[in-house]
């Protein structure tokens, strides 16, 4: 760690939490403790902040992120709280339970945070620093584990500094986490409810509250494999053509870099972070019946461009009923 690490890691006292809240409100990234591991927090309602999370982690693909909240009321502004979700929240929140629920029509959560899906994963962490920080930021926080992708999840502030110093604004040091299993993830966006990932709350405990058995993710090929991560993914109804130099008749051109004839541009200056932030929203905006297809200009195969191209290739893949 560098000599400046002491300024990068701050004890999680009230003044530091307030400062971290301001950093988050301004689009910066802050690592903070939860009851499981340290999370890498960013404003879940900001496309650019969520893109910065992926960039800091070196995350290879745009997997959906969990939106961390400090109250059921805050969650209700993001997702549709069903009766089942309400009962589970009353019993297990705050705690290691993540619920995947249908996105509200007016949900402020970034489409990038939910990988363009019509569902959002939400959780209320059981840690006083995490809850205080979410309140100080005044918004839900997208927060995967605060480590570089592929590295061991951090349970101490110094672990975060070892891999993310220079990539994020600060770390709130709340001491070692109560190391345990990760949060249980349950999908309540469809019926029957599906257990996506076992965790600190058992399937039997969930079933006791719900009064019905859970479907296990292994019972369906389209089940999510990690927090909110679906094998299925958002793709436009229109066909998508990649590496296009120009639009063909009837197509909408999605540009990158200089592109005077494009309908929308992921980043006129060719910035991959900006392009990632705009990706899902612009694909949705162009998915209109007055076009016959979407042509996408080439995206460099480096950095976040790898993740952007991965999603674009999935969107362009042939599907039933569409060639």
């Amino acid at each position: 760690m560098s000599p400046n690490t002491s300024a990068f890691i701050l004890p999680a006292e009230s003044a530091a939490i307030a400062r971290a809240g301001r950093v988050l409100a301004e689009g910066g990234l802050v690592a903070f403790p939860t009851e499981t591991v340290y999370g890498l927090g960013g404003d879940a309602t900001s496309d650019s902040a969520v893109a910065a999370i992926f960039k800091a982690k070196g995350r290879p693909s745009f997997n959906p992120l969990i939106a961390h909240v400090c109250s059921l009321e805050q969650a209700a502004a993001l997702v549709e709280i069903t009766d089942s979700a309400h009962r589970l929240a009353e019993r297990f929140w705050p705690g290691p339970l993540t619920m995947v629920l249908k996105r509200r029509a007016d949900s402020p959560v970034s489409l990038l945070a939910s990988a363009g899906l019509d569902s959002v994963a939400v959780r209320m962490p059981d840690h006083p620093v995490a809850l205080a920080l979410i309140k100080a930021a005044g918004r839900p926080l997208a927060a995967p584990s605060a480590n570089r992708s592929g590295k061991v999840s951090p349970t101490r502030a110094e672990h975060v500094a070892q891999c993310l110093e220079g990539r994020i604004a600060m770390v709130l040091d709340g001491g070692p986490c109560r190391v345990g299993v990760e949060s249980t993830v349950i999908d309540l966006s469809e019926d029957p409810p599906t257990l996506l990932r076992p965790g600190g709350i058992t399937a039997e405990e969930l079933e006791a509250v719900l009064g019905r058995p859970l479907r296990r993710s292994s019972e369906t090929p389209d089940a999510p494999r990690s927090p909110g991560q679906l094998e299925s993914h958002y793709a436009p109804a229109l066909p998508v053509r990649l590496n296009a130099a120009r639009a063909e008749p009837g197509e909408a051109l999605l540009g990158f870099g200089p592109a005077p004839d494009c309908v929308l541009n992921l980043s006129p200056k060719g910035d991959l972070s900006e392009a990632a932030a705009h990706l899902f929203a612009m694909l949705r905006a162009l998915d209109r019946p007055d076009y016959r297809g979407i042509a996408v200009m080439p995206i460099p195969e480096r950095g976040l461009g790898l993740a952007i191209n991965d999603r674009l290739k999935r969107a362009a893949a042939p599907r039933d009923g569409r060639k």
Side-chain angles (χ1 to χ4, degrees):
M1 290 183 284
S2 74
N4 295 323
T5 295
S6 60
F8 175 65
I9 300 177
L10 298 179
E13 299 168 348
S14 57
I17 291 172
R19 174 180 167 186
R22 292 192 294 271
V23 168
L24 290 163
E26 293 170 359
L29 304 184
V30 173
F32 62 94
T34 74
E35 72 273 33
T36 54
V37 299
Y38 274 74
L40 174 54
D43 180 357
T45 70
S46 166
D47 293 333
S48 59
V50 173
I53 290 174
F54 286 109
K55 183 176 181 179
K57 284 183 66 70
R59 202 158 177 137
S61 61
F62 293 142
N63 298 321
L65 303 179
I66 297 172
H68 291 67
V69 299
C70 60
S71 68
L72 184 59
E73 291 72 25
Q74 188 177 44
L78 314 180
V79 294
E80 296 178 8
I81 303 293
T82 62
D83 177 67
S84 293
H86 196 275
R87 283 185 281 142
L88 290 175
E90 284 190 330
R91 173 66 179 83
F92 298 113
W93 275 8
L97 176 66
T98 296
M99 294 186 283
V100 178
L101 295 159
K102 290 182 179 179
R103 168 192 286 269
R104 285 177 56 97
D106 58 351
S107 176
V109 172
S110 163
L111 283 169
L112 184 60
S114 56
L117 299 170
D118 291 322
S119 59
V120 177
V122 292
R123 173 167 111 82
M124 188 192 305
D126 186 16
H127 196 291
V129 173
L131 295 174
L133 180 62
I134 298 167
K135 290 178 183 177
R139 61 207 67 206
L141 300 181
S145 57
N147 58 285
R148 296 277 284 163
S149 286
K151 302 297 182 182
V152 177
S153 294
T155 57
R156 294 177 179 268
E158 55 265 34
H159 297 164
V160 180
Q162 287 167 2
C163 60
L164 291 180
E165 187 172 4
R167 292 175 172 268
I168 65 177
M170 59 190 290
V171 182
L172 287 177
D173 187 356
C177 298
R178 303 196 307 268
V179 181
V181 294
E182 295 176 300
S183 65
T184 300
V185 183
I186 182 174
D187 186 357
L188 296 170
S189 66
E190 296 181 350
D191 195 62
T194 301
L195 180 68
L196 309 181
R197 182 181 72 183
I201 297 168
T202 67
E204 291 74 19
E205 289 176 302
L206 296 172
E207 288 171 341
V209 173
L210 294 175
R212 60 187 300 194
L214 296 176
R215 180 173 60 181
R216 270 46 173 187
S217 59
S218 58
E219 297 172 13
T220 170
D222 293 325
R225 298 175 294 175
S226 63
Q229 181 186 0
L230 294 172
E231 287 185 355
S232 61
H233 53 277
Y234 173 73
L238 293 177
V240 176
R241 185 168 62 89
L242 305 180
N243 299 313
R246 61 186 63 84
E248 294 180 353
E251 287 184 329
L253 181 63
L254 181 58
F256 178 80
D261 297 326
C262 69
V263 178
L264 294 174
N265 198 318
L266 291 168
S267 175
K269 58 186 179 182
D271 181 273
L272 289 171
S273 293
E274 183 179 31
H278 291 157
L279 177 62
F280 291 107
M282 288 191 174
L283 281 176
R284 284 177 177 256
L286 295 179
D287 194 16
R288 294 164 24 192
D290 48 323
Y291 296 121
R292 69 171 184 84
I294 301 171
V296 185
M297 293 182 65
I299 307 296
E301 280 281 339
R302 55 179 170 79
L304 282 179
L306 296 172
I308 294 170
N309 283 321
D310 172 73
R311 282 292 166 175
L312 287 172
K313 288 172 185 174
R314 292 171 184 267
R319 301 193 299 280
D320 291 343
R322 195 195 79 180
K323 300 296 185 181

